[in-house]
Amino acid sequence: MPSPIPINRFLPKGFSSTVTLRPCSSPYQLRGKEQRFSFTGRYKALPHLSWCTVFWDELNLLDLLGSGGFGSVYKGTYYGNIVAVKKVKKSTKNKLASRHSFWAELNVANLRHDNIVKVVAATTSVPEDPEKEDNLGTIIMEYAGDISLHHRIYNCTKTLEVGNCLQFSKDIVSGLSFLHSHNIVHLDLKPANVLISDQGQCKIGDFGCSHKLTKDDLTPNVQVRHLAGTYTHRAPELLKGCNATLKADIYSFAITLWQMMTRDQPFSGDRQCVMYAVVAYNRRPTFSATFKDSSMGQKIEQIIGHCWRAEPNERPNADQILETLIYLQAQHGVPEIE
């Protein structure tokens, strides 16, 4: 019989084991110290939230936005604000992965950035829920928009100009820079996990695969294997089972930027064959004429080429990429999206 999983293994910094044993939890009151949470812009401020209380009478589910292996996401309202509500379910195939997915979402619970989907509250108990036995927890998040970057790339007739690609890339890398400054690696960055707000701003979401790096993770003899995530965007070192580093997200960003520029799928064919080719033969998506026909395209090709290098240490960091993108916008007169 397997040993019990230490509860602290799944808790982000600031969560104690005694706190998580309570019926509900919210990331806006740490160890009894109250914090006021408010959305910016059109959202009104919410009242003080108790650490162990989610006000269920104020939460209303509206439409189902999507569902996957670890749960479903709904559009809803909380204290009159439009929110997204993620209900994480227990996976019958991989209970450990579903638990990790829930707690990994809370790696960003106390972080605030314009390009990161904000967490409003979280709970491990859902009263009067007919699916309670299958529900691992619920996370209330900022509602970041109806459209994902994936939809914008593949299901939108509107042209995706180079200026759009640069602005979207700036938003994504700005979010990554912020995450990486807190030693958080996303590990599943892809167009489907980037939302576009009504103002045209990209926000990184879905942190179910994220990991808070520690000194132990950086020790050569300690392997942190991440089997979750999307194989087409997973860095080759992760495919080999090596340590996860911040540079894994840089590789994923390169694939995402390539998708924005080409509006094509990065790989085709058998999954195992693709993964083997990426690791053993350094296979990458092909640069088409889209990159060759202009000086801007050529420079973006250079950025992508540097970001998806096989050796993580040879890839630039998020701050360096952001500086380059800002320079390209200024040099070529590409206006920011308002």
Side-chain angles (χ1 to χ4, degrees):
M1 185 173 182
S3 301
I5 301 170
I7 193 167
N8 287 332
R9 178 176 175 181
F10 297 96
L11 303 183
K13 187 177 181 180
F15 283 69
S16 69
S17 57
T18 54
V19 166
T20 57
L21 291 177
R22 297 175 181 177
C24 300
S25 60
S26 167
Y28 300 103
Q29 186 185 354
L30 291 175
R31 302 181 187 276
K33 182 179 179 181
E34 288 191 355
Q35 298 182 8
R36 178 172 290 278
F37 172 78
S38 65
F39 285 104
T40 58
R42 66 182 185 278
Y43 291 98
K44 65 182 180 181
L46 299 179
H48 286 290
L49 297 179
S50 171
W51 171 259
C52 59
T53 303
V54 170
F55 298 97
W56 297 104
D57 291 341
E58 298 294 337
L59 178 62
N60 298 296
L61 299 183
L62 301 175
D63 303 320
L64 176 65
L65 298 177
S67 59
F70 289 144
S72 303
V73 179
Y74 297 84
K75 185 177 182 179
T77 61
Y78 192 52
Y79 279 93
N81 298 306
I82 300 295
V83 295
V85 182
K86 185 170 188 177
K87 301 179 71 172
V88 182
K89 66 181 181 180
K90 298 177 182 178
S91 173
T92 55
K93 294 182 179 180
N94 195 334
K95 295 181 180 179
L96 177 63
S98 60
R99 289 185 63 184
H100 174 80
S101 175
F102 175 78
W103 292 111
E105 291 276 6
L106 301 186
N107 280 328
V108 296
N110 295 294
L111 302 182
R112 294 290 171 268
H113 191 274
D114 287 342
N115 302 119
I116 301 295
V117 175
K118 303 175 184 69
V119 174
V120 177
T123 174
T124 55
S125 178
V126 184
E128 299 179 0
D129 189 336
E131 299 177 356
K132 183 177 180 181
E133 293 183 358
D134 296 326
N135 193 359
L136 186 64
T138 297
I139 302 171
I140 305 173
M141 301 170 290
E142 166 193 12
Y143 183 73
D146 294 313
I147 300 175
S148 69
L149 182 58
H150 184 277
H151 177 86
R152 183 69 175 83
I153 293 173
Y154 297 112
N155 303 111
C156 184
T157 56
K158 186 178 178 181
T159 304
L160 190 61
E161 303 288 351
V162 172
N164 299 120
C165 296
L166 280 176
Q167 184 59 41
F168 291 163
S169 297
K170 257 183 57 177
D171 288 345
I172 294 169
V173 175
S174 179
L176 285 182
S177 175
F178 177 75
L179 290 173
H180 292 177
S181 71
H182 290 83
N183 290 322
I184 295 173
V185 57
H186 188 280
L187 293 178
D188 196 21
L189 182 67
K190 59 183 179 180
N193 288 339
V194 176
L195 298 174
I196 304 177
S197 70
D198 294 339
Q199 292 73 37
Q201 186 179 53
C202 285
K203 294 176 178 282
I204 302 174
D206 200 338
F207 289 86
C209 295
S210 67
H211 186 71
K212 176 77 172 180
L213 296 178
T214 65
K215 291 182 180 180
D216 289 339
D217 296 329
L218 303 178
T219 303
N221 292 329
V222 178
Q223 284 193 338
V224 180
R225 296 180 181 270
H226 295 276
L227 302 180
T230 307
Y231 78 94
T232 54
H233 293 68
R234 198 180 306 160
E237 66 271 17
L238 298 184
L239 295 176
K240 292 189 292 184
C242 297
N243 289 8
T245 69
L246 301 177
K247 295 298 182 68
D249 284 344
I250 302 302
Y251 177 93
S252 302
F253 164 74
I255 301 293
T256 299
L257 177 52
W258 182 92
Q259 289 175 276
M260 283 190 275
M261 289 290 293
T262 63
R263 304 187 81 165
D264 198 1
Q265 297 294 339
F267 298 109
S268 61
D270 178 76
R271 171 192 173 112
Q272 294 299 325
C273 291
V274 169
M275 293 168 62
Y276 181 79
V278 167
V279 173
Y281 298 105
N282 203 30
R283 180 184 174 186
R284 302 291 185 270
T286 303
F287 289 112
S288 62
T290 303
F291 297 94
K292 311 294 184 182
D293 292 343
S294 67
S295 59
M296 173 70 81
Q298 293 169 14
K299 290 178 181 178
I300 293 177
E301 178 180 337
Q302 291 177 355
I303 294 173
I304 294 173
H306 285 134
C307 290
W308 67 25
R309 287 179 174 174
E311 176 55 47
N313 291 331
E314 294 180 359
R315 302 171 200 155
N317 61 41
D319 289 338
Q320 292 171 325
I321 302 170
L322 184 59
E323 183 178 351
T324 300
L325 292 172
I326 293 173
Y327 172 77
L328 285 182
Q329 276 196 321
Q331 183 183 28
H332 293 270
V334 179
E336 292 191 11
I337 299 173
E338 298 181 356

